[in-house]
Amino acid sequence: MARTLPYGSWPSPVTAEAVAESSPRIDGALLVGNEVWWGESVPSEAGRVAVKRRTADGRTETVLPAPFNARSAVHEYGGGAWAASPDGELYFVEKSDQRVYALTPGGQPRPLTAADEAVRHGGLRVERGVLLAVRETHGSARVPTRAIVRIATDGSQRVDVLAEGSDFLAQPALSPDGRRLAWVAWDHPDMPWDRTAIRVADLVTGGVAQVAGGVERAPLQPVWVADDELLYADDPDGRWNLFRHPLDGDAQPLAPADADTGGGLWVLGTRWFGATDDGRVVAVRTHGADEIVEISPTGVRPLDVPSVATSSIDDVKGTRALVSGADASGRAGLWMVDLDSGEIELVTGGAGAWSAEWMPTALALETPGPHGPVHAFAYPPTHPDVVAPDGERPPYVVMVHGGPTSHVGPAPSAKTAFFTSRGIGVLDVNYGGSTGYGRAYRDRLAGQWGVVDVDDVAAAASALAQAGLADADRIAIAGGSAGGWTVLAAVTTTDVFGAGISRYGVGDARALAEDTHDFEARYLDGLLGPLPEAEDVYVERSPLSHPERFRVPLLILQGSEDRVVPPSQAEAIRDALVTHGIPHAYVLYEGEGHGFRRSETVIDSLQRELGFLGAVFGFDTPGVPPLALDGGPAAR
C-alpha cells in the first residue's frame, strides 16, 4: 500500500551522487572500420572528455586515457574536439594547451601543431584523408581571427590556411576529389541561427563563391554528395530543411517538412544529418520532440531510434548510421542503425542507476501567452510507492534553458528525476526565442529579451497553477546563463514565482556586452539592440538596475573560471540582495567555468537547490538539510 507523505518530502533513490554519475554526455561518435568510437564526459574525473571505442569483438576500451582531455575552447563553447582516421588514428584538441595531437591507441600523444597560447583549435574533421580544423587566434586586439586550416599529420607541425575572411567559420567539408572546400561563414552582429552563408573555395584556382545564404537565411552543415554537388540545411521558408545544390544549377528542396533539420550552432561538432553513398539521407527532424528519419528517392521513412531530444547524426558510413541523444526516459545514449535491416543497437548509455518507474513522463503543453502560444513540457511528481495527501498541490520548479536560443525536448534529465521523485514537479519551458519551432518562433525574442521570455515562463507557470496541477504559492524558477537572466528578470517583474535559482546568470546586460567573449559579443544587438543607441533598454531590462525589486529568496551559483558570464555579475547580485535584506545564498565553485562538470560540484549544487526549496517552501528534505540563508527569514 502506498504511503502518504507531503509533496517535496518523498524519499528517493535518485541521489545527487547518482545524478552526477548518470548518463555521461556523448561528445561525438564515428564509425572507424568495424569499431564505434565516441567521446564521453567523465564527471568523476573533473568532467574531462575521454574518447572510447567498442571493438569488433564487443569490448569497450578507452582510446584517450587520463589525464588527457579532448576539449576545444573555440568560441568558448568548443565542439569537434576529436576526430579519427579510417585506419584508427585519433586526433584531438588537448584542453590544457589547445594544441592538436595525434594518438595511436596504446601509444602516447604526438603534437601536430606548435605550442602557442594565443591559438585554439576545434571542429576537427578528417575528410578524404585530410585533417581539417577551425583555428582561432587571439592577439593584442580584442577580436580574435579565425580560419579553416589543414593540419599535417606527419609531425612536421605544418598548418595551411584554406579559408578565412569572415568573423566566424565552421563545418568545413572537402569534396570527394579534394578540389573544393565548403564551409559555413557568418559575421558580427549576426548569430549562426540568424544569418549565415555557405561558401565554396576552389583549392586549385583559389576562387571563392557563395552558394547559399542571404537575409533571414541561415544555411548549415554542407555535405558533399558528389564532386560538384552539395547537400545542406537551409531555412528560406522559416524551417530548416534539406537542399541538394549542384554547383552549376539551382538548389532543390529534399522532402521538406514542418520541422527543423538544423538548430543553434553553439558547438562546432553538431550535425543534424548524414548521407549514404547510395543517395539516402538520415536526418533529425524537430518540432518540439526529435524524430529520426531516412529520406530516400522512394520517400521518407521514420526510424525507430529512441532519441527524442538533443539528437545528433554523428556519422553515416555504408548502410550504418550513429545517432546520439536522449530517450523519453531522459537517458543519454548512442545508437547504431542498420538502414537495410532496420536493426537498431544501443552502443553505450541508455541506462541509469534506478529503474524506469522513477522517471516521469513528459506532458507536452501549449499555453496561450501575450506574444503567442508557449511550448513547454511538464513532469509531474513521480513515485512508485508514495502519494500526497488529498487536496495538496505540488510545488514546481520552472526550468529555463540557456542560450536563450536553445531548446529542450521531452526527455527528463536525471536532475529532473531528482526533483520529481521527491514530490517536486518540473516544468521545462521553450519560451519565444527557442529553436525547434521555426524561425518565426525564434524571432519572437528579437529586441524583446527580458520581456518575451519572462512573459512566456510566467504564462506557462500560471497556466499550470490555474489547471490545478501546481501550488501557485510554491512555484520556483531556475536557470543558468541566459536562463539565469530570465530567472532574475522574472522574480523582479512578476509575482508568479516564490523563489529563484540562478546559475551563472546575467544580471547586468551592459556589463555582459563589455565582458563577454567574441562569439556572443554582438548577440545582444539582436536581443536588446545595438549600443550605444539602445543603452536605455539595457539599463531598464537589467535586473541589477532595479535592486529594490528583488523580493523573493534567491540561490546564486557561480563558477570561478567562467569567461562567458564572469563572477562579477553573481557578486553584484549577491551584494544587491544583502543591501535589500533578501534571504539568499551565494556559492562560488572554484575551478568551474560556464556550466558545472565536476562530480563534486554537481552533487553539492543539487543538494543546495533541494535544501533551498525545502527552506523556502517549508517541507522536509530527507537526507538533505535545509539550506541556511543569509538576509532574514526564508519561509513564506
Side-chain angles (χ1 to χ4, degrees):
M1 183 176 178
R3 288 184 293 167
T4 300
L5 292 171
Y7 284 119
S9 62
W10 299 354
S12 170
V14 187
T15 63
E17 290 81 2
V19 171
E21 293 303 319
S22 69
S23 295
R25 182 183 308 174
I26 305 299
D27 191 3
L30 287 173
L31 291 159
V32 181
N34 291 323
E35 299 179 344
V36 179
W37 292 32
W38 68 92
E40 182 178 304
S41 63
V42 187
S44 62
E45 299 177 14
R48 85 172 183 98
V49 175
V51 178
K52 299 186 176 183
R53 67 176 175 179
R54 190 186 68 179
T55 62
D57 59 6
R59 291 176 294 111
T60 296
E61 299 178 345
T62 298
V63 180
L64 183 65
F68 302 107
N69 188 352
R71 288 275 302 279
S72 167
V74 173
H75 300 171
E76 299 298 337
Y77 296 110
W82 69 275
S85 67
D87 60 355
E89 187 81 352
L90 174 68
Y91 306 110
F92 70 97
V93 179
E94 164 57 33
K95 177 180 183 289
S96 61
D97 60 13
Q98 292 297 292
R99 298 172 74 184
V100 178
Y101 291 79
L103 177 114
T104 302
Q108 288 296 310
R110 310 179 306 279
L112 298 182
T113 58
D116 188 339
E117 63 182 14
V119 175
R120 305 173 180 182
H121 297 89
L124 269 58
R125 298 282 297 175
V126 175
E127 298 262 347
R128 324 305 174 191
V130 176
L131 178 59
L132 302 172
V134 177
R135 185 181 68 185
E136 182 177 274
T137 305
H138 294 251
S140 57
R142 177 182 178 184
V143 179
T145 60
R146 299 176 179 90
I148 303 292
V149 297
R150 176 176 54 212
I151 299 174
T153 58
D154 59 3
S156 64
Q157 298 190 6
R158 176 177 174 177
V159 177
D160 299 313
V161 173
L162 301 182
E164 56 188 346
S166 301
D167 292 334
F168 301 95
L169 306 96
Q171 298 181 316
L174 197 63
S175 62
D177 61 5
R179 175 168 181 150
R180 295 182 175 93
L181 178 76
W183 70 94
V184 176
W186 69 98
D187 295 294
H188 285 309
D190 295 314
M191 298 300 287
W193 44 85
D194 295 326
R195 182 175 181 175
T196 62
I198 289 179
R199 297 199 173 107
V200 172
D202 187 315
L203 300 179
V204 175
T205 67
V208 176
Q210 179 169 310
V211 300
V215 177
E216 295 192 346
R217 296 270 296 273
L220 297 168
Q221 194 188 327
V223 171
W224 292 96
V225 292
D227 290 338
D228 56 358
E229 185 173 6
L230 279 170
L231 177 68
Y232 54 80
D234 200 358
D235 62 340
D237 299 318
R239 283 289 203 177
W240 274 301
N241 277 289
L242 295 177
F243 287 80
R244 294 183 71 110
H245 191 162
L247 298 186
D248 61 354
D250 296 327
Q252 299 297 323
L254 182 67
D258 188 22
D260 285 318
T261 297
L265 191 59
W266 285 100
V267 296
L268 291 173
T270 308
R271 303 187 74 80
W272 294 275
F273 63 92
T276 67
D277 292 337
D278 62 5
R280 289 178 288 178
V281 175
V282 181
V284 180
R285 284 180 167 177
T286 304
H287 183 78
D290 293 347
E291 180 185 33
I292 312 302
V293 301
E294 178 196 81
I295 303 170
S296 71
T298 60
V300 177
R301 175 171 66 107
L303 299 175
D304 195 22
V305 181
S307 185
V308 296
T310 63
S311 303
S312 175
I313 309 301
D314 294 295
D315 197 16
V316 177
K317 285 189 177 73
T319 65
R320 298 177 298 165
L322 292 177
V323 182
S324 60
D327 65 18
S329 294
R331 291 164 178 160
L334 172 65
W335 294 269
M336 183 163 64
V337 183
D338 188 302
L339 300 176
D340 285 350
S341 69
E343 180 183 359
I344 297 172
E345 179 186 2
L346 178 66
V347 176
T348 188
W354 47 87
S355 58
E357 62 189 351
W358 294 95
M359 300 301 295
T361 300
L363 174 64
L365 303 176
E366 184 177 304
T367 301
H371 310 282
V374 182
H375 298 283
F377 297 103
Y379 300 96
T382 301
H383 198 294
D385 302 315
V386 177
V387 295
D390 289 341
E392 184 181 1
R393 295 179 179 178
Y396 256 79
V397 180
V398 176
M399 298 290 187
V400 188
H401 66 66
T405 310
S406 189
H407 175 78
V408 289
S413 65
K415 180 174 182 176
T416 300
F418 177 80
F419 289 114
T420 58
S421 63
R422 289 170 167 77
I424 304 167
V426 171
L427 181 66
D428 269 332
V429 182
N430 281 317
Y431 49 86
S434 302
T435 53
Y437 302 95
R439 180 179 282 270
Y441 198 78
R442 288 200 310 278
D443 286 350
R444 189 187 293 179
L445 203 60
Q448 296 297 308
W449 194 37
V451 177
V452 167
D453 51 324
V454 172
D455 289 346
D456 284 358
V457 296
S462 297
L464 204 67
Q466 291 165 7
L469 301 177
D471 184 343
D473 293 326
R474 294 190 295 171
I475 299 179
I477 183 170
S481 190
W485 157 279
T486 303
V487 167
L488 299 170
V491 300
T492 55
T493 61
T494 80
D495 58 3
V496 173
F497 304 102
I501 300 171
S502 173
R503 309 178 206 95
Y504 36 90
V506 179
D508 184 338
R510 289 180 302 176
L512 179 66
E514 294 172 358
D515 296 339
T516 197
H517 56 112
D518 185 57
F519 179 71
E520 295 183 82
R522 302 290 301 277
Y523 193 9
L524 297 187
D525 285 26
L527 295 174
L528 296 172
L531 287 171
E533 297 87 342
E535 185 169 4
D536 290 347
V537 176
Y538 283 64
V539 173
E540 176 57 31
R541 301 267 182 88
S542 294
L544 276 170
S545 296
H546 312 283
E548 72 283 356
R549 296 179 183 173
F550 285 112
R551 55 186 181 273
V552 302
L554 283 167
L555 172 61
I556 309 297
L557 306 173
Q558 177 68 39
S560 67
E561 296 183 6
D562 193 337
R563 297 181 181 179
V564 179
V565 181
S568 57
Q569 294 250 357
E571 292 162 1
I573 296 164
R574 175 204 59 195
D575 294 346
L577 298 172
V578 169
T579 298
H580 293 274
I582 303 301
H584 69 278
Y586 171 65
V587 185
L588 182 69
Y589 292 107
E590 292 295 334
E592 289 285 9
H594 197 65
F596 301 150
R597 292 179 175 268
R598 300 182 177 184
S599 288
E600 57 269 29
T601 304
V602 174
I603 293 167
D604 185 76
S605 62
L606 266 179
Q607 292 177 339
R608 287 180 187 267
E609 290 185 27
L610 179 61
F612 172 74
L613 295 174
V616 172
F617 291 146
F619 52 75
D620 294 330
T621 53
V624 176
L627 186 64
L629 302 180
D630 297 325
R636 299 182 68 185

